[in-house]
Amino acid sequence: HLSTPAPTRPLTMPDSNVIVDGRGHLLGRLASIVAKQLLNGQSVTIVRTEEINISGTFLRNKRKFLAFLRKRMNTNPKKGPIHFRAPSRILWRTVRGMVPHKTARGAEALGRLAVFEGVPPEFAARKRMVIPDALRVTRLRPDRKFCRLGRLSAEVGWKYAKVIEKVEAKRKVRSAAAWQKKKALIRVKAKAEANVDLSSVAPTLAAYGH
């Protein structure tokens, strides 16, 4: 007796690598949405993880993290749990908890995630996205307290907060100069398009539907 094969779902190719700017996102909501996209086959890169927000006061979140640091294997602490201090690794670990990372499917999904503090040079000129459903301004009441992941990390052992701050300041200066140059080019292009005379080629353009 041969069983009827189950119908297969149509395969859809995911978009190219999506770059998400972590600034102003809530940690848990960002991680849950990213985890789902990773499992669906999407590659995601998250930059500026030090600017991610966590709901609750800074002291409350610091106490929770210090309690987490006390969790260790009694006989051999190097076997785990591993307590990451860097903002990017804290986000990575949060996403890992939402993915079945011990299966082949989950391991492949987690391999499609890249996380960075600041904005590396290879992503500085590329378009960065936000996730509206994970933004603090849309999901947290204005009177509620929150803290920055970068500050929390610096308080519990992350040593590169000042380095990232210095590098980001230089990047923002370069980015502002590049934007001014781009705006000037846009103005020149708009002026040229306004002054061009297309009357001589208008019939030809009309023939091609323009």
Side-chain angles (χ1 to χ4, degrees), residues 139-178:
R139 290 303 177 183
L140 198 64
R141 261 175 36 185
D143 58 324
R144 294 301 188 187
K145 302 293 185 180
F146 66 93
C147 69
R148 284 177 57 254
L149 182 57
R151 182 188 175 193
L152 178 64
S153 294
E155 292 276 343
V156 297
W158 183 47
K159 301 177 182 179
Y160 297 98
K162 294 293 184 181
V163 175
I164 293 297
E165 184 179 347
K166 185 184 299 184
V167 172
E168 278 293 281
K170 294 180 180 179
R171 180 194 63 82
K172 289 176 182 177
V173 171
R174 292 194 299 268
S175 178

Side-chain angles (χ1 to χ4, degrees), residues 46 68 74 184 207:
I46 306 177
F68 167 61
N74 194 30

Side-chain angles (χ1 to χ4, degrees), residues 9-184:
R9 291 179 295 177
L11 296 176
T12 56
M13 292 299 293
D15 297 333
S16 59
N17 184 27
V18 173
I19 303 172
V20 177
D21 189 346
R23 180 177 180 271
H25 290 76
L26 289 173
L27 176 63
R29 290 183 179 272
L30 174 63
S32 64
I33 294 173
V34 168
K36 187 63 175 180
Q37 293 300 315
L38 294 172
L39 290 170
N40 287 340
Q42 178 69 58
S43 296
V44 180
T45 299
I46 306 177
V47 297
R48 292 215 285 182
T49 54
E50 74 280 1
E51 297 293 339
I52 290 175
N53 297 148
I54 307 176
S55 59
T57 64
F58 171 73
L59 290 178
R60 171 185 170 86
N61 284 296
K62 184 177 179 180
R63 283 198 300 267
K64 288 170 65 175
F65 200 92
L66 292 177
F68 167 61
L69 291 180
R70 288 193 293 270
K71 291 177 172 61
R72 61 198 285 272
M73 183 176 181
N74 194 30
T75 56
N76 194 355
K78 71 179 182 180
K79 289 191 175 181
I82 305 300
H83 311 100
F84 297 115
R85 268 77 162 189
S88 60
R89 300 306 287 173
I90 291 175
L91 172 63
W92 180 87
R93 195 179 197 275
T94 306
V95 174
R96 188 188 69 176
M98 302 179 182
V99 169
H101 65 279
K102 294 187 179 182
T103 66
R105 173 172 174 258
E108 290 177 0
L110 202 58
R112 288 189 284 270
L113 174 65
V115 287
F116 300 96
E117 290 90 13
V119 182
E122 59 266 31
F123 302 118
R126 295 183 59 181
K127 185 176 182 180
R128 298 189 290 274
M129 315 291 287
V130 298
I131 301 176
D133 287 343
L135 288 173
R136 175 181 54 81
V137 292
T138 62
R139 290 303 177 183
L140 198 64
R141 261 175 36 185
D143 58 324
R144 294 301 188 187
K145 302 293 185 180
F146 66 93
C147 69
R148 284 177 57 254
L149 182 57
R151 182 188 175 193
L152 178 64
S153 294
E155 292 276 343
V156 297
W158 183 47
K159 301 177 182 179
Y160 297 98
K162 294 293 184 181
V163 175
I164 293 297
E165 184 179 347
K166 185 184 299 184
V167 172
E168 278 293 281
K170 294 180 180 179
R171 180 194 63 82
K172 289 176 182 177
V173 171
R174 292 194 299 268
S175 178
W179 173 236
Q180 293 299 327
K181 182 178 179 181
K182 185 175 181 180
K183 284 200 298 184

